[in-house]
Amino acid sequence: MNRVFSGIQPTGNLHLGNYLGAIRQWVAMQADFECIYCIVDLHAITLQHDPKALAGATRDMAAAILAAGVDPAKTILFHQSAVTAHAELAWTLMSVARTGWLDRMIQFKEKRGKDSEGPSVGLYTYPVLQAADILAYRATHVPVGEDQKQHLELARDIAVKFNAAYGEVLTPPLPVIGREAARIMSLRDGTAKMSKSDPSAASRIDLTDDAATIAQKIKRAKTDAPPLPDTAAGFDGRPEARNLVGIYAALAETSVDAVLADWGGKGFGAFKPALADLTVTRLEPIVDAYVRLRADPGHLDTVLRDGAARAGAIALPLLREVYAAVGFLR
Ligand code: TYM
């Protein structure tokens, strides 16, 4: 049986990178798979956070995911802290994962400098919790952006090692990484990932930006002087041009080569307004739905609570199997 699981942190707004790299796949996969999507608030506290803002941010993220097209009638959407099996399974898996494996995690190295007191233990063990998220549901497929590939490999390694030690209980998952939009870059720097944690709002397009803001951010996006190349080979040394064309291709649901067939030889003066129009057209329905959903927090809480009950009903039996396999008294 195929089952999809994925997660997103409730920090900051949903941005174009999250949407094109992950959430759009989440929506599409609902047609063919049983899907479980999680707002990972346990992960969100591993860096300094504002406790007064977290619950609201979790609701905001639920509204954005629903606005993008996740259908709670068939798909499970919930927040991680509402299903205790995640933390319990993570603890068990921490005795399976090796410190050497965690020492290699690129995201930890990138994020550890961000806290004045030094990194929390939670930030270090973060990928083990992520593995627990996935393994708790025996998920077979995990749609993510390129930056999560290493964490998915770790989840596989943990599942394989657990099974070798305790019997075949866990299912090693496969990442599902889109081709054109796996890595959307900052609008201010084509070598840095578009990210919620970038202090400059001009670096990303948030799904809550209005049309004028989107047009303005794209107009001011960093570019170079030459016209667009005729083929993707011409992007060498031009990360910003590559990124903007990649965004266009992802939004138009076509390939980079097809975009360059139309736009090769033309300048950014013409391309940027076309990209802005396309972005606004694609995001407008999502922004409208988001505003409507956000106005009804009671509905959002009901969706999340219902999702947590359905998720818990899957994760708890798996946790019991894991506990039996490692030998806990029942
Ligand atoms: P997070 O919250 O950073 O991002 C959510 C999803 O968006 C993708 N993404 C991007 N894709 C393309 N270009 C970008 N610039 C970009 N920025 C973000 C991410 O790859 C991700 O798919 N650790 C995870 C959350 C998590 C999780 C899980 C994911 C926790 N448990 C279990 C999958 C399965 C994270 O921080 O994602």
Side-chain angles (χ1 to χ4, degrees):
M1 191 194 56
N2 287 326
R3 185 183 276 154
V4 168
F5 182 95
S6 198
I8 186 164
Q9 295 202 54
T11 36
N13 290 319
L14 193 66
H15 59 69
L16 195 63
N18 300 134
Y19 177 64
L20 293 175
I23 308 297
R24 205 168 60 160
Q25 291 190 79
W26 293 17
V27 173
M29 290 178 102
Q30 295 179 109
D32 302 313
F33 295 95
E34 179 191 354
C35 296
I36 304 171
Y37 298 133
C38 183
I39 301 169
V40 294
D41 50 2
L42 297 177
H43 280 108
I45 66 167
T46 57
L47 288 174
Q48 260 165 17
H49 79 291
D50 176 0
K52 288 199 273 309
L54 185 55
T58 301
R59 274 196 206 105
D60 287 349
M61 190 51 79
I65 293 167
L66 296 173
V70 165
D71 175 6
K74 56 178 167 201
T75 290
I76 296 176
L77 176 68
F78 71 108
H79 59 301
Q80 194 183 23
S81 61
V83 177
T84 58
H86 292 247
E88 292 172 78
L89 182 58
W91 178 258
T92 311
L93 299 180
M94 273 186 231
S95 297
V96 176
R98 313 325 292 175
T99 56
W101 300 358
L102 292 182
D103 289 341
R104 286 198 289 273
M105 293 295 118
I106 297 162
Q107 288 222 326
F108 174 72
K109 290 179 199 168
E110 283 171 359
K111 288 184 179 173
R112 72 175 150 198
K114 294 196 173 156
D115 227 317
S116 54
E117 294 174 272
S120 67
V121 177
L123 189 68
Y124 182 65
T125 59
Y126 175 118
V128 183
L129 177 60
Q130 180 163 349
D133 298 339
I134 300 163
L135 300 174
Y137 300 92
R138 292 204 166 93
T140 51
H141 296 80
V142 184
V144 283
E146 179 79 34
D147 62 342
Q148 296 300 315
K149 203 169 160 208
Q150 196 187 31
H151 288 171
L152 263 291
E153 281 160 11
L154 184 90
R156 283 187 71 82
D157 289 346
I158 291 175
V160 168
K161 188 166 167 59
F162 181 97
N163 288 348
Y166 302 115
E168 293 291 320
V169 179
L170 301 176
T171 305
L174 288 171
V176 180
I177 299 175
R179 254 190 324 135
E180 302 296 359
R183 203 168 164 78
I184 301 291
M185 309 309 276
S186 156
L187 298 180
R188 310 298 306 159
D189 174 0
T191 63
K193 176 177 85 160
M194 184 179 285
S195 160
K196 295 177 239 210
S197 54
D198 192 316
S200 163
S203 71
R204 67 184 161 263
I205 291 172
D206 287 320
L207 264 71
T208 47
D209 285 344
D210 59 24
T213 309
I214 291 174
Q216 178 72 0
K217 284 180 178 177
I218 291 177
K219 192 169 159 208
R220 290 178 45 213
K222 185 177 168 197
T223 42
D224 49 15
L228 288 167
D230 293 320
T231 65
F235 284 137
D236 270 358
R238 302 184 65 190
E240 284 83 15
R242 180 198 304 273
N243 188 39
L244 293 186
V245 172
I247 291 174
Y248 191 105
L251 286 168
E253 297 185 55
T254 183
S255 66
V256 164
D257 287 333
V259 177
L260 291 178
D262 290 342
W263 287 95
K266 297 186 181 134
F268 286 104
F271 182 73
K272 280 181 166 182
L275 176 60
D277 284 349
L278 178 63
T279 310
V280 169
T281 309
R282 287 288 194 265
L283 297 193
E284 215 164 37
I286 301 177
V287 175
D288 290 350
Y290 173 81
V291 171
R292 260 196 329 274
L293 283 154
R294 194 62 194 84
D296 189 354
H299 170 68
L300 296 170
D301 289 358
T302 304
V303 167
L304 291 175
R305 225 178 291 125
D306 172 64
R310 288 152 69 200
I314 301 171
L316 200 60
L318 182 283
L319 183 69
R320 289 212 189 91
E321 263 187 71
V322 164
Y323 277 11
V326 301
F328 293 146
L329 177 65
R330 278 195 280 179

